[in-house]
């Protein structure tokens, strides 16, 4: 079977958070195949753990994918501070005689952003509303690469490594079946040290927040990489939950047009026509210059503008999110720009040091938390979403009452569709089929 077919069968998607179907992404020919092992969001350790424990699998899979996409350059991007992981990968590359090279990146945010990474490695800025393919590159997260290796061995994506950190008794790395509850993952780290808490699924800059009482109803997806437990009144939590009407009112009354949000924006620095301060002015003056508002469509929502840049504590990112939603309602989408971009001279001097960002986020107390060696979690019940990826949901192939086995396909998309297959992560009986499939073990934990 061809590699792309194996990837499709296994339901591999982007493990870095976006969830782009990998069999679609890798159906191309490029000059550069880049593996994102940077993990630039604070308090996340999953990719580093994967590199140390799945290094050989990563190198072997990258070599095979390189042949598939015809890449002349196979590059693993990694933070230069991760010396242990760099040494480990170099040893494997030498032992296997691989042509893969390591590209080290400074400890800044957002070093793991796809567009910043492609520019640093290739010297080519990606056009507005473009993708790496526009400059002859394709990028995959290191977790996705491990899943591709498993697909080569005819193993579907049914497990996920997770960092559980923050206000938990034993910050831990866990390997869990896809569909396990967030609550079970928190309990695996000894539970929270707080009576009431919030949970960030993902990183503190771009992750999703839920409350402690919701943890049992939320379930781990293929692209989830970490759970961070924080007090409900923490700065990060309150910032993410600020109502849009309050954000708009603050914009109208407090924006001083200092333009720091623009000057620190890495999309702007890469030459894109994204100027958050002008969008804020439009909002503040109740102006609706559509040409200015359309610039919000280029925002990647990294959060630098609101967490690091704005001296007034405003939220240009959330304003951009609001504007994008309004434009989408009108059917307005971003238009791909020119390859001829003028990268701003100050870009190298406006990268955000990770330690300073962690300080701004008020997360220093969790910085450098020792992470226990990983635990393999089991569970008696999983709830597996039929849509845990970009594109259309998978169509269920099972019904309530069906017996399923671990690894069995339970949701399918057609081979050329933008979507991904999903599989049972435990043995058991199907007890629910809606937009998600619930499976309960038959008395024996899988």
């Amino acid at each position: 079977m061809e590699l792309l077919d194996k990837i499709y069968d296994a339901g591999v998607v982007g493990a870095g958070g976006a969830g782009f179907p990998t069999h679609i992404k890798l159906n191309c020919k490029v000059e550069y195949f880049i593996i994102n092992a940077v993990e630039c969001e604070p308090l996340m350790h999953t990719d580093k753990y994967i590199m140390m424990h799945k290094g050989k699998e990563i190198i072997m899979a990258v070599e095979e994918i390189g042949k598939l996409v015809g890449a002349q350059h196979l590059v693993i991007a990694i933070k230069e501070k991760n010396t242990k992981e760099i040494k480990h990968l170099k040893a494997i590359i030498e032992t296997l005689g691989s042509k893969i090279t390591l590209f080290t990146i400074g400890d800044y945010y957002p070093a793991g952003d796809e567009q910043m990474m492609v520019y640093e490695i290739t010297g080519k800025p990606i056009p507005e509303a473009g993708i790496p393919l526009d400059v002859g590159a394709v990028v995959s997260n290191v977790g996705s690469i491990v899943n591709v290796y498993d697909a080569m061995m005819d193993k579907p994506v049914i497990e996920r490594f997770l960092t559980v950190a923050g206000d938990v008794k034993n910050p831990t790395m866990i390997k869990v079946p896809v569909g396990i509850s967030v609550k079970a993952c928190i309990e695996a780290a000894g539970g929270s040290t707080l009576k009431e808490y919030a949970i960030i699924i993902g990183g503190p800059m771009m992750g999703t927040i839920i409350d402690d009482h919701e943890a049992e109803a939320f379930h781990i997806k293929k692209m989830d990489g970490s759970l961070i437990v924080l007090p409900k009144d923490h700065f990060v939590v309150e910032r993410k939950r600020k109502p849009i009407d309050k954000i708009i009112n603050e914009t109208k009354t407090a924006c001083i047009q200092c333009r720091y949000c623009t000057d620190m924006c890495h999309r702007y620095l890469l030459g894109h026509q994204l100027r958050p301060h002008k969008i804020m002015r439009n909002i503040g003056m109740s102006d609706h210059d559509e040409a200015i508002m359309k610039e919000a469509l280029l925002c990647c929502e990294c959060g630098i503008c609101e967490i690091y840049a704005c001296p007034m504590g405003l939220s240009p990112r959330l304003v951009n999110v609001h504007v994008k939603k309004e434009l989408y309602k009108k059917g307005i989408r971003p238009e791909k720009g020119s390859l001829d971009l003028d990268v701003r001279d100050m870009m190298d001097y406006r990268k955000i040091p990770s330690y300073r960002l962690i300080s701004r986020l008020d997360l220093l107390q969790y910085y450098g938390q020792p992470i226990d060696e990983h635990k393999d979690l089991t569970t008696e019940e999983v709830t597996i979403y039929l849509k845990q990826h970009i594109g259309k949901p998978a169509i269920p192939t099972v019904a309530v009452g069906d017996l399923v086995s671990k690894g069995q396909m339970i949701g399918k998309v057609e081979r050329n569709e933008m979507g991904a297959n999903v599989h049972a992560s435990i043995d058991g009986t199907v007890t629910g089929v809606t937009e998600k499939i619930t499976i309960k073990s038959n008395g024996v934990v899988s």
Side-chain angles (χ1 to χ4, degrees):
M1 187 184 295
E2 296 291 332
L3 179 55
L4 275 181
D5 293 325
K6 285 178 174 282
I7 292 170
Y8 156 73
D9 283 348
V12 182
V13 300
F20 197 97
T22 304
H23 71 282
I24 300 293
K25 174 179 277 193
L26 296 182
N27 187 19
C28 62
K29 295 297 178 184
V30 293
E31 181 181 357
Y32 289 87
F33 179 47
I34 300 170
I35 297 82
N36 184 349
V38 174
E39 201 168 37
C40 68
E41 283 240 32
L43 309 186
M44 297 178 71
H45 304 277
T46 305
D47 287 356
K48 292 191 289 291
Y49 183 88
I50 288 172
M51 284 186 283
M52 289 301 297
H53 292 81
K54 297 285 185 178
K56 184 176 180 181
E57 292 91 333
I58 291 167
I59 301 305
M60 292 173 68
V62 170
E63 287 281 358
E64 291 304 309
I65 297 169
K67 296 173 187 174
L68 173 70
V69 299
Q72 300 169 36
H73 306 284
L74 307 177
V75 184
I76 298 176
I78 184 171
K79 279 190 175 178
E80 61 189 8
K81 73 170 187 176
N82 294 333
T83 54
K84 182 173 64 173
E85 289 77 12
I86 290 171
K87 182 178 179 181
H88 181 65
L89 290 178
K90 280 184 174 179
I92 297 171
I93 289 169
E94 184 176 349
T95 298
L96 296 179
S98 173
K99 65 176 183 179
I100 295 169
T101 60
L102 302 185
F103 185 91
T104 57
I105 291 178
D107 189 17
Y108 71 88
Y109 182 81
D113 172 68
E114 189 172 74
Q115 298 214 9
M116 285 290 287
M117 185 182 307
V118 168
Y119 175 70
E120 290 219 15
I121 292 172
T122 69
K124 302 172 184 178
I126 296 170
E128 295 172 356
I131 58 175
L133 198 58
D134 294 320
V135 293
V138 67
V139 181
S140 285
N141 174 267
V142 68
S144 307
I145 300 301
V146 172
N147 289 336
V148 169
Y149 177 84
D150 287 342
M152 290 162 55
M153 303 294 113
D154 299 319
K155 298 177 183 177
V157 182
I158 57 172
E159 295 175 327
R160 187 70 174 102
F161 284 98
L162 286 173
T163 303
V164 186
D167 279 303
V168 290
K169 293 176 183 176
N170 303 302
T172 305
M173 184 67 59
I174 55 178
K175 185 171 75 172
V176 302
V178 170
I180 194 171
S181 73
V182 169
K183 181 179 179 181
C185 297
I186 301 298
E187 290 173 349
S192 177
T193 58
L194 305 169
K195 185 176 180 180
E196 295 184 337
Y197 56 91
I199 305 158
I200 302 176
I201 304 175
M205 294 294 282
M206 300 180 73
T208 301
I209 292 185
I210 64 172
D211 278 327
D212 45 9
H213 67 271
E214 300 174 289
E216 194 163 8
F218 277 76
H219 301 85
I220 297 302
K221 300 185 290 294
K222 296 177 185 180
M223 62 274 204
D224 294 331
S226 72
L227 301 172
I228 301 171
V229 176
L230 297 175
K232 287 186 177 182
D233 62 354
H234 191 277
F235 165 73
V236 172
V237 177
E238 292 188 338
R239 166 71 65 149
K240 285 179 176 285
R241 289 182 161 169
K242 190 179 292 186
I244 188 61
D245 57 346
K246 185 174 182 181
I247 292 169
I248 296 299
N249 286 336
E250 288 176 346
T251 299
K252 290 180 177 180
T253 57
C255 180
I256 58 174
Q257 285 294 289
C258 66
R259 70 167 286 146
Y260 288 163
C261 56
T262 293
D263 290 340
M264 298 298 291
C265 172
H266 61 283
R267 286 290 188 269
Y268 171 78
L269 292 168
L270 281 169
H272 294 189
Q273 186 76 342
L274 172 57
R275 298 164 296 179
H277 77 285
K278 290 206 168 190
I279 298 168
M280 297 289 278
R281 179 177 173 81
N282 252 20
I283 296 289
M285 301 296 291
S286 296
D287 195 355
H288 296 285
D289 184 334
E290 190 170 274
I292 295 295
M293 291 303 209
K294 284 171 67 175
E295 294 183 13
L297 296 171
L298 302 177
C299 175
C300 69
E301 304 174 28
C302 70
I304 287 174
C305 53
E306 64 182 7
I307 298 297
Y308 200 87
C310 183
M312 304 302 291
L314 303 180
S315 301
R317 177 184 72 91
L318 294 177
V319 168
N320 283 348
V321 171
H322 171 69
V323 172
K324 282 199 281 189
K325 287 179 179 177
E326 295 303 308
L327 291 172
Y328 288 152
K329 288 178 185 177
K330 297 178 182 178
I332 299 173
R333 298 291 185 269
E335 299 175 3
K336 187 176 291 187
S338 168
L339 285 168
D340 185 19
L341 290 173
D342 182 19
V343 177
R344 268 82 185 190
D345 293 338
M346 295 300 292
M347 187 174 72
D348 286 340
Y349 306 99
R350 291 181 179 161
K351 295 172 180 175
I352 312 302
S354 294
Y355 189 81
R356 290 293 303 134
L357 178 64
I358 292 168
S359 177
R360 292 283 183 94
L361 290 167
D362 192 24
L363 295 173
L364 281 177
Q365 70 186 93
Y366 312 109
Y367 182 68
Q369 275 185 324
I371 303 294
D372 288 349
E373 282 295 311
H374 97 259
K375 301 176 182 178
D376 289 342
L377 258 63
T378 55
T379 183
E380 294 184 346
E381 185 173 281
V382 293
T383 298
I384 300 171
Y385 300 98
L386 288 165
K387 179 176 169 58
Q388 47 185 304
H389 47 261
I390 289 175
K392 65 177 295 184
I395 303 300
T397 57
V398 293
V400 172
D402 286 354
L403 293 175
V404 295
S405 57
K406 184 176 179 179
Q408 177 182 331
M409 187 182 295
I410 57 175
K412 183 176 182 178
V413 297
E414 293 303 318
R415 174 65 175 78
N416 294 316
E417 289 180 327
M418 178 68 76
N421 298 324
V422 294
H423 303 76
S425 56
I426 63 172
D427 299 322
T429 301
V430 176
T431 59
V433 178
T434 55
E435 74 282 357
K436 50 195 176 185
I437 295 176
T438 301
I439 303 169
K440 190 165 185 177
S441 173
N442 296 324
V444 180
V445 177
S446 171

